[in-house]
Amino acid sequence: MWSVYFLLLRNGDIYVGSTNDLKRRFASHQAGEVLSTKAYIPAVLKSYVAVETEDHARELENYFKSGSGKAVAMKRLIRGRIPT
């Protein structure tokens, strides 16, 4: 299984990523081992979507990083007020 996940970063931004080991990947974010989130930890795992293949996970990740994908994610997957 692969996961597309959404992290709420300390600066209020949402980070979208994909992995085949969500627990390990989240721990690497929290440990400051991921360059793109390192300056904004701690992060909160807000939501994730599990899919069967890496290809599908990468497609969804790219979609959720697009304008319309961000809107769908905020409305349907992340929910709640994101601090600004």
Side-chain angles (χ1 to χ4, degrees):
M1 274 294 172
W2 280 77
S3 298
V4 179
Y5 61 95
F6 302 87
L7 300 180
L8 174 61
L9 303 177
R10 189 181 68 205
N11 67 350
D13 287 347
I14 295 292
Y15 175 88
V16 182
S18 59
T19 183
N20 64 348
D21 186 341
L22 184 56
K23 187 176 180 179
R24 176 196 52 79
R25 185 63 172 161
F26 182 64
S28 68
H29 281 286
Q30 296 296 70
E33 298 169 355
V34 180
L35 185 61
S36 57
T37 60
K38 182 178 185 172
Y40 308 107
I41 55 175
V44 176
L45 179 64
K46 294 298 286 181
S47 186
Y48 66 93
V49 177
V51 296
E52 190 172 5
T53 66
E54 180 180 6
D55 287 342
H56 192 187
R58 301 289 184 206
E59 287 174 15
L60 281 175
E61 179 184 355
N62 287 333
Y63 169 69
F64 287 128
K65 288 179 177 179
S66 74
S68 60
K70 284 180 189 176
V72 168
M74 292 299 290
K75 185 173 184 180
R76 301 291 180 201
L77 299 174
I78 297 169
R79 298 219 172 202
R81 187 177 175 286
I82 303 299
T84 54

